[in-house]
Amino acid sequence: MRNILFVAFVFALSFSGRVCAGNPVYSDKSLRNDAEKLLMEWVDTLLTYQCEGLHPALDGGFLCPACARIHGRIGDTVLPLMYLADKTGDDKYLLAAKKLMKWMENVHRPDGSWMNDVHVSDWSGTTVFAAIALYEAVHYHGHLLDDSTCNHWKKQLLEAGEFMMKNPQMYSRRMQGNMKRLNNVNYSASVTYALQALGEMFNRPDFKEEARIVASDLKKFFTVNDFFLYGEGPKIWTPTKNGCLPVDLGYNIEESLPNLAYYALMVNDRELLSIVERSMNTHLEFMLPDGAWDNSWGTRSFKWTYWGGRTSDGFMGGYYAMAEQHPEYLEAIRRNIRLLKKSTNNGLLHAGRDYQASGIPACIHHTFGHAKALTAFLELPPVKAPQYKSLPRDNAYGVKYFQDIRTWLVAEGSWRSTCTGFDAEYKVKGTHPMGGAVSLLWHEQAGPVFAATTNRYALIEAPNMQSNSRKYIMSGTPRVEMVQYGTIYSNLDDLDTDIVYTQEKDKHRFHINTHLVDADQQTPVQGAFPVTLDYVYSKQGMSIVVDYCPLTACLVLPVIAAPSEVVDITSKGMLLQKKEGVLEIICVNGMLKVAPTDEDGRIFNPVPGFSFVPLQIFPEGENKKIQIEITYN
C-alpha cells in the first residue's frame, strides 16, 4: 500500500464535483473514535484469553471459550495488536503480538503457508488472509520491532508469497492442468492485493505480474446487469435456468470487494476500480437501516451473522477507501459499527443477537476477524466528504428487482423485506432458501421479524461454525412444510418455482407457484405437491395466503422473539410485545399451533443467531386455505 494514499487522492479528484463549496463537509473524527473504542474493547478482551506459561504449544495462542481450542487464523490479530501498540505506546500489545506470531509456528508449514487450524483443518488457502494481516502490521508498524523479529516476519511473508505463486489451484481464476473447478472467488480477489503488496515490499515483479493477471481475469466475474461478483460456489460456467450464478453478499463485501479495491487503488487500474465501485453500490442496496447486512439469500449464508460474516473480515476498509467519492459509505460504516457494538457482550462480538440470552458462548473468531477489519479502516487517512445520512434501503421506494440473483427487495412504509428465487446452489444441498421464500422481514420499530437460516442446519464448515447445543433446531425461514416418514418437505429447496410480481395501487403482490421437496430436491412418495402462495405488502404490513395446503402440510412462521419478550398466543393469532409497540399475527383462515420449543419457549438457530417462536398454521375446513396478516402497532 505504498502509493494507495496518492492514488486514492488522484481518484478523488476525478470525482471532485461531489465535493464543492455548496456542500457541507464534515470530518469523520467521531466515526474513527467510535471504531477505536470498540477495537480496544475487543482486543483487551482477547488478551484475557491469551495463553501464558501453560505449554510451548499453547503459549501465545488465544483460547476460544466457545470452541475450547485455539483457532489457526488467530494470527490475523497481529494487525490490531500492532496498531494499538503504536497508537497507545503500551508495550503489552507489542509483546502480545510477538507471542502470538510465535504460537503461529504451530500452523506454519515448510512450504510457507499457514494452515487454517491445528489438526482440525489443513486447508491452507487462508494463507492469503494471514499474509495480508502480517504485511499491513509490518508495513505500518514495523518500526516498533527489533531487527530479528522484523526480519523473521518478513521472511515468512516472502515464503507466503512464494506459496501463493506456486498454488494457482487455490488462487487463480484460470483452469490449469488437471484442475476440475476453481476455488471460491474470495481467494482470487484477495490474492491480487496480497501479491501486489508483497511484490512491492520485496521488489518481486513476478508477484505483481501474477496479481495483474488474476485481476484481469476477475473482471469477467461480475454479473451482467447488477455487477455482483460471482464465484462463491462451484457452478460458475453455466447460469441456472433462471439466469443465476453463485453469489454471496457476505464474502463479497467483507473480503473480495475491499481487497480488489485496495489492489485497484495501488496500481491505478481505473477499469477495475469502476467495476468494483458499481459492485459496491449494488451490494449497499442490501444494508438494512439498522446497519445489518442482508445476506439471507447468499450461497454461503450458512455463515451469516446479521451484522456480517463469521470468518470474513469486514467491509469497512474497502468502502472507506472509496468514501471520499461516496459519503454514503461512511454512513454505512457508522451504522454497522453501531450494530457491532450492540452485538458485543462482555467484550466479545457475538454471532447473533440472541446468543447470550440463549446460553450460547461467543466464538472469538468473530471478534478477531472484525478487529482486523476495523484496524484496516483506521490505518487509512481521515477523509472529508459531503454530509450524507441516507442509505438506499432507508427510502420507501416500493420494490427493486435484482435480476442476476432473482431477488426482490421490498420497501413499503416502515417495512423492509426480501423475496428470493435465487437458485444457484453451493457445494452442498440444503443451504440458502429458494422456492420463492421470504428470506427477510424487518420493521423500523420491531426490527427483524423473519430472518432466513439454512434450510437444514449442518456444520458445512465445521471448524468455522458452532454446533447446536440445545434440544430443538429447525429452519428459521417462513415456508410451507410437510413431514412424511421423518423427512421434511418444503418449498425452500424447490428449483422449479415461478414468481410473478405485480403492483396493485399501493400494494405489492408476489404470486408463487412452487412445490414441496426435501433438501435433496426429492419429492414425497406420492409425487410432487404443487403449492401456491401469495405475499401482499402494504404500508400496514404483510399478508400471506396459501391457496391450497396439501395433506398434513402447514405454513410455518418462525417469528423472531427474544426470550425476554412477552408473547400471547391463541389458536387465532399471536401478540408479541416490543419496546415501542406490538407485533400482531392474525389467522384469517387457519388454526395456529406452536411447535415444540426449548424450556425458554423458543427455538434458537446459530445462523443468523436469533431465537424464535415456531408458529404452525394448519388449514381449517375443506378448502385447505390459509391466510395470515402481519401488522405492527
Side-chain angles (χ1 to χ4, degrees), residues 186 189-190 222 227-229 249 251-263 275-281 283 315 318-319 322:
N186 60 313
S190 300
F222 289 83
F227 281 75
F228 288 102
L229 178 66
L249 179 134
Y251 273 97
N252 282 359
I253 57 157
E254 293 209 324
E255 281 181 354
S256 298
L257 292 176
N259 287 325
L260 279 174
Y262 295 151
Y263 169 79
I275 293 171
V276 169
E277 179 188 26
R278 292 185 66 175
S279 188
M280 283 181 166
N281 289 339
H283 287 75
F315 77 105
Y319 273 73
M322 311 276 279

Side-chain angles (χ1 to χ4, degrees), residues 205-226:
D206 55 332
F207 285 11
K208 293 190 280 188
E209 175 61 11
E210 179 66 13
R212 185 197 66 77
I213 293 171
V214 176
S216 178
D217 291 339
L218 278 166
K219 294 174 185 177
K220 308 181 189 77
F221 283 81
F222 289 83
T223 62
V224 174
N225 300 291
D226 305 314

